[in-house]
Amino acid sequence: MSSSRSFLGSAVVPFRFVFLMWAVFYLEILLGFPFKYFGIVPRTPVGLIGIFSAPLLHGNLIHLISNTIPMLFLGSVLFFFYPGVGGRVFLRAYFWTNVLVWIFARPATNHIGASGVVFAIAFFLIFFGFFRRDFVSIFISVIVIILYGGVFFQVIPNDPSISAESHLAGALVGTISAINFANKKNIY
């Protein structure tokens, strides 16, 4: 691991992403136009735009804050400890999670929010240590389980207003990414 890396520098991508989430939320309020309509509506042509826009859209301030904090923390951990694969994991979390939601989620439902991306990063950080089996990765896995172990219970649908499909898709993308990158060199 490089000693010249800083945690603050590793937070650039997560901070930019969160800035975009907040900017879109602010614009929505300022313009009085509900951008929420640009979420993922499964298996519809108009819902395809949601693959790119849904993680930036949030239903209310509580929803936005509940995605902001874990995105900043987990995203920063990802880019700090795994700079060699962090960008690829983040892109997979963003794109493939939303593609899976568009293909498999409940029809006639508008899926918005960054929780699928958050879940993908969380599951990557949790399972990467188990597949990689080195001290640093296992330590990170344990810390993420302690702080965010509740994610395992949130992939089970229990509230129709929450996109459990996004959570499950993120969990799958994160776990598969952990398997794919476990044996890569230059991840640090």
Side-chain angles (χ1 to χ4, degrees):
M1 205 176 312
S2 170
S3 61
S4 65
R5 223 177 19 231
S6 74
F7 195 73
L8 189 58
S10 301
V12 169
V13 171
F15 267 98
R16 286 179 179 170
F17 181 65
V18 166
F19 174 81
L20 284 173
M21 289 168 27
W22 281 84
V24 168
F25 188 76
Y26 177 74
L27 269 175
E28 187 174 20
I29 292 169
L30 185 68
L31 300 175
F33 181 78
F35 292 156
K36 297 170 194 73
Y37 292 120
F38 296 109
I40 301 170
V41 180
R43 296 173 298 287
T44 65
V46 72
L48 283 170
I49 195 165
I51 291 172
F52 303 99
S53 60
L56 301 174
L57 308 173
H58 291 82
N60 55 45
L61 187 60
I62 293 169
H63 186 207
L64 180 61
I65 292 169
S66 70
N67 282 318
T68 295
I69 296 166
M71 177 60 68
L72 290 175
F73 177 73
L74 295 171
S76 297
V77 168
L78 172 69
F79 282 96
F80 182 78
F81 288 102
Y82 307 120
V85 295
R88 289 182 281 173
V89 170
F90 186 84
L91 287 174
R92 284 178 175 205
Y94 194 100
F95 182 73
W96 289 113
T97 298
N98 295 327
V99 168
L100 290 174
V101 170
W102 187 82
I103 294 171
F104 296 111
R106 290 169 281 161
T109 304
N110 187 15
H111 300 264
I112 59 172
S115 60
V117 180
V118 168
F119 272 64
I121 295 170
F123 273 77
F124 173 82
L125 293 171
I126 289 169
F127 285 104
F128 190 71
F130 293 107
F131 295 122
R132 181 85 177 176
R133 294 188 180 149
D134 64 33
F135 177 77
V136 172
S137 298
I138 292 171
F139 182 75
I140 292 166
S141 295
V142 170
I143 295 300
V144 173
I145 288 171
I146 290 168
L147 295 175
Y148 291 100
V151 294
F152 291 106
F153 300 107
Q154 294 176 7
V155 296
I156 301 165
N158 61 1
D159 182 348
S161 68
I162 295 173
S163 178
E165 296 94 333
S166 292
H167 297 178
L168 180 59
L172 290 171
V173 168
T175 303
I176 290 168
S177 296
I179 293 167
N180 291 154
F181 292 123
N183 295 319
K184 298 277 185 204
K185 295 185 187 324
N186 302 324
I187 60 161
Y188 302 113

